[in-house]
Amino acid sequence: MSIAIYKVNNDLYHIVDPYYGGIWEAEESSMKLFLRVLEEMRKKNIKDLKDLNIDDDMFMEFDKELWHEMITFIKENRISIFNQFDPRRIYENLQSYENGIITPPMTIVEVNRVCNYNCPWCYLDNMIQDDGVLSIEQIEQRIVEPLLKAGANYWAITGGEPSVTLDRTLKLITSIKDRTIREFGYRPYILLFTNGHKLKEYAELYKEAGVTIVQVSLSSPDEEQEVGLRRPPEGINSYREAVQGIKKCKEIGLEVILNSVITSDIGYGSNVDYIPKIYKLAKELKINTLDINLACPSGQAKKNNIVFSKEEYFKIKKYVQSNNFAEEDRIREDLPIDDLEEHREIRCGVGMLEFYVDYKGYTYPCNNLIHKEMLCAPRTILEENIKDIWFTSEKLSVFREYQDNNINEECGSCEYRGFCLGSCFARGWHQYGMLKMDKKPENCYKDVYAR
């Protein structure tokens, strides 16, 4: 996925991969070398470790043997070379950082709070956009520019549904692209979250504006069920919109993530048994990443009480473990219930790799923690400096205690962990009111299933 870098003291840094649990130490000289390697990988547009080789023109000002050792170290430890920051900017500022996190986030910007679909698992409580919407100029001045100065080169645009306010969405994306080119001399990574509405029609506009990756929501490979689950306006076929849009994106060279939210039946049907066909469709569409998610108990999913039975859990686990893609498919998988090593701490990108800014300028740790108790700062980015929020927020500091064991022994080894918590802070908070699982919660899934 990505990494965050922490300054421990003037000559010790930690490289942290929260998704895979890796923590590596580096002295200042090694950190400089590491960042220069990342810079060269970015210049050569290398994102995958298997494509990472050693060329004679890459050694720069460093000793050839040390360069070789660093690349070998990166490959052996599978450290991400595709990240949300500009390595050169971090390198240049290395001496000036205070102790703590020194890398900027991938910022998810909520371009609107309006959606034309009615998904029962939406992470937002409602789609009511009231007064106080940030102007594009305010987003540019109070979000984009400060984080660019901090080295941010990866952005995400979400809603609501971005296609509903197309002109505003395109203006923001174009601005981020142009400003990044002026700042760093290259185009940023811009991820667009969309339900697929009018994607076939808008795909080329998105690409021209600067979008590089599109995450498209499609929760069933069955056309009738997909429409029934997503509940688009009458006359709109959400299945066809998504599939045709994905085909268009692939045709014009955009990377595609297919996001499938799995739900139990709360009156609209369940797509649990359609998981194998989701894999088949993903292969047919030649998407780049399949992201299968169990509905997180936040927003509408929490209101609608989407929960899974024990039988559904084991079905889901069986399906995702028996439908792996072949290597030649070149499709990455992001799965909800991967087997985690025993006692693995709760870690994800929250507070380390990404955070969320809503349409009014309030900041949150992630999209599934949009709640007044989870505000990163009491006021909006119009009143507070977004760099200060990201680097010094007490709320975010809770998620950055990467050297602490934040899960108790029983939960850490529980057979239901992948279904109950996985490595997601938001699930623990919504289900049990706990960010740290330092003790076994009352009435947990295991207790319910044992009855």
Side-chain angles (χ1 to χ4, degrees), residues 284-302:
E284 291 173 354
L285 294 173
K286 296 182 172 60
I287 56 97
N288 301 91
T289 302
L290 175 61
D291 190 354
I292 292 182
N293 289 293
L294 303 182
C296 184
S298 62
Q300 290 294 324
K302 193 168 188 175

Side-chain angles (χ1 to χ4, degrees), residues 66-81:
L66 290 176
W67 190 272
H68 182 280
E69 289 178 359
M70 178 58 70
I71 291 182
T72 300
F73 174 77
I74 291 171
K75 295 183 79 168
E76 287 180 348
N77 289 277
R78 301 194 60 78
I79 300 175
S80 174
I81 56 175

Side-chain angles (χ1 to χ4, degrees), residues 172-188:
L172 175 57
I173 294 168
T174 301
S175 175
I176 292 173
K177 177 194 67 179
D178 292 345
R179 288 166 185 269
T180 303
I181 292 172
R182 288 199 296 269
E183 188 73 26
F184 301 131
Y186 61 85
R187 294 164 69 103

